[in-house]
């Protein structure tokens, strides 16, 4: 699926936050949105996911206007919490039980079916054996994978992730990057990814959009040419540093 953001602008009261933002996400791509805190990244994601209406502009999914239509694009919120009193499986399956969607027009999949469908992904998401545990019994990385699975099951093959790995330690984060890139291929996912971590953006992205200014505009688009998955050597290479320098010109 191809996502197009076409000239989106948004104000809150008399404060203009987003000014004519246009971007694309091609099928299978991982594109990072990089920008300082408060610049308007989450606002843009709310608009793309259909939860918030723009003042101007449109969001298109395979050419179809989905502006203001939630449920078509998977959106993992910055703080995607799991219900502590429900098992991991029920947390993941919950959206399927209440979902309105192509395979579930009545807006309800019976509990048993929803659990079965969710459980069938537990292996791929590194959660096998944890179906009946509670969220507090999972490691940070596992909790994020469970939240990602829930997000994926809720909608479809375009995912918006708002700083999904920012709370993880460096080593866990590195493992999650490798895992995420492989699962993206396996389940044919395209991803728009918010981060303020330059290294993370360079390691993961096919392209990076730099969002900056007030109101925010797309200041630069950078294509990262290195093949994926990217090696540890790449992370300390001249090329890597050159990408970082280019980004720093804007982020400073
Ligand atoms: N619902 C809202 N009402 C008023 N102002 C908002 C609302 N949501 C966000 N803002 C403001 O818009 C700006 C961008 O916020 P946000 O999109 O959360 O930035 P980021 O995710 O890049 O940190 C901030 O100044 C924030 O205070
Ligand atoms: Mg934010």
């Amino acid at each position: 699926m191809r996502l197009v953001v076409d000239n989106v602008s948004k104000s809150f009261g008399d404060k203009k936050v987003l000014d004519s933002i246009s971007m694309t996400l091609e099928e299978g791509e991982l594109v990072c949105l990089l920008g300082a805190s408060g610049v308007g990244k989450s606002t843009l994601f709310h608009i793309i996911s259909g939860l918030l209406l723009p003042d101007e502009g449109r969001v298109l999914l395979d050419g179809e206007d989905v502006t203001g239509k939630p449920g078509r694009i998977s959106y993992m919120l910055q703080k995607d919490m799991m219900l502590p009193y429900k098992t991991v499986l029920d947390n993941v399956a919950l959206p399927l039980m209440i979902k309105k969607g192509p395979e579930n027009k009545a807006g309800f999949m019976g509990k048993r079916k929803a659990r079965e469908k969710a459980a069938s992904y537990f292996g791929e998401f590194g959660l096998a054996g944890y179906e009946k545990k509670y969220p507090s019994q999972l490691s940070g990385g596992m909790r994020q994978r469970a939240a990602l699975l829930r997000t994926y099951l809720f909608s479809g093959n375009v995912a918006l992730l708002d700083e999904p790995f920012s709370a993880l330690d460096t080593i866990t984060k590195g493992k999650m990057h490798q895992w995420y890139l492989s699962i993206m291929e396996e389940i044919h996912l395209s991803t728009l990814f918010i981060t303020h971590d330059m290294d993370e953006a360079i390691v993961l992205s096919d392209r990076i959009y730099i969002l900056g200014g007030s109101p925010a505009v797309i200041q630069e688009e950078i294509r990262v040419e290195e093949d994926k998955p990217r090696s540890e050597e790449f992370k300390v290479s001249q090329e890597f540093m050159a990408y970082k320098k280019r980004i720093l010109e804007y982020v400073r």
Side-chain angles (χ1 to χ4, degrees):
M1 285 194 149
R2 178 166 197 261
L3 175 73
V4 174
V5 176
D6 178 29
N7 271 299
V8 160
S9 297
K10 181 72 187 176
S11 300
F12 290 115
D14 52 16
K15 187 179 184 244
K16 192 165 192 181
V17 176
L18 300 173
D19 185 18
S20 295
I21 303 290
S22 291
M23 55 171 67
T24 57
L25 177 68
E26 304 296 336
E27 182 140 345
E29 257 192 330
L30 192 153
V31 171
C32 274
L33 201 58
L34 195 62
S37 119
V39 78
K41 303 181 298 293
S42 296
T43 301
L44 183 58
F45 268 25
H46 282 104
I47 291 171
I48 297 173
S49 66
L51 297 174
L52 184 69
L53 275 173
D55 300 330
E56 285 167 64
R58 297 180 309 164
V59 180
L60 303 169
L61 196 58
D62 276 347
E64 183 195 345
D65 193 334
V66 295
T67 318
K69 290 184 188 163
R72 302 295 301 278
I73 294 169
S74 303
Y75 182 20
M76 186 164 127
L77 298 161
Q78 202 160 359
K79 296 227 155 39
D80 207 347
M81 304 308 277
M82 306 250 264
L83 300 171
Y85 50 86
K86 284 199 179 287
T87 63
V88 176
L89 181 59
D90 278 357
N91 265 287
V92 170
L94 194 65
L96 292 175
M97 300 176 189
I98 56 173
K99 175 183 170 173
K100 249 194 190 146
E103 79 268 50
N104 188 17
K105 292 209 170 35
F108 183 81
M109 187 184 273
K111 278 191 180 165
R112 196 175 57 85
K113 265 191 119 179
R115 285 196 184 109
E116 261 173 34
K117 173 153 188 199
S120 70
Y121 286 92
F122 265 54
E124 270 166 301
F125 277 73
L127 296 164
Y130 285 80
E131 292 81 354
K132 300 236 163 94
K133 304 272 188 206
Y134 289 86
S136 63
Q137 296 173 290
L138 302 186
S139 69
M142 292 178 99
R143 255 202 307 274
Q144 282 309 80
R145 290 201 295 273
L148 282 164
L149 175 55
R150 181 173 59 179
T151 305
Y152 166 69
L153 288 175
F154 182 65
S155 306
N157 293 40
V158 178
L160 307 181
L161 308 182
D162 195 343
E163 305 197 2
F165 308 139
S166 62
L168 302 176
D169 65 83
T170 318
I171 291 173
T172 308
K173 203 187 227 190
K175 286 184 187 156
M176 289 292 284
H177 289 159
Q178 297 307 320
W179 170 78
Y180 190 74
L181 291 174
S182 64
I183 195 94
M184 255 188 82
E185 270 199 27
E186 241 170 83
I187 63 180
H188 307 290
L189 210 55
S190 316
T191 305
L192 202 54
F193 191 107
I194 289 179
T195 181
H196 55 252
D197 177 342
M198 279 182 279
D199 292 57
E200 178 167 59
I202 301 167
V203 166
L204 290 179
S205 301
D206 297 294
R207 290 181 296 123
I208 300 169
Y209 288 111
I210 299 177
L211 201 62
S214 181
V217 296
I218 302 283
Q219 295 181 318
E220 178 71 301
E221 178 188 340
I222 296 171
R223 184 173 288 279
V224 183
E225 303 282 358
E226 183 79 8
D227 285 346
K228 290 199 280 188
R230 293 168 183 151
S231 64
E232 292 302 315
E233 289 75 51
F234 174 66
K235 294 182 198 171
V236 294
S237 68
Q238 294 283 343
E239 292 97 310
F240 192 92
M241 292 304 149
Y243 284 119
K244 217 161 159 170
K245 266 189 190 154
R246 245 180 103 185
I247 294 169
L248 275 168
E249 281 174 36
Y250 293 93
V251 176
R252 281 224 178 94

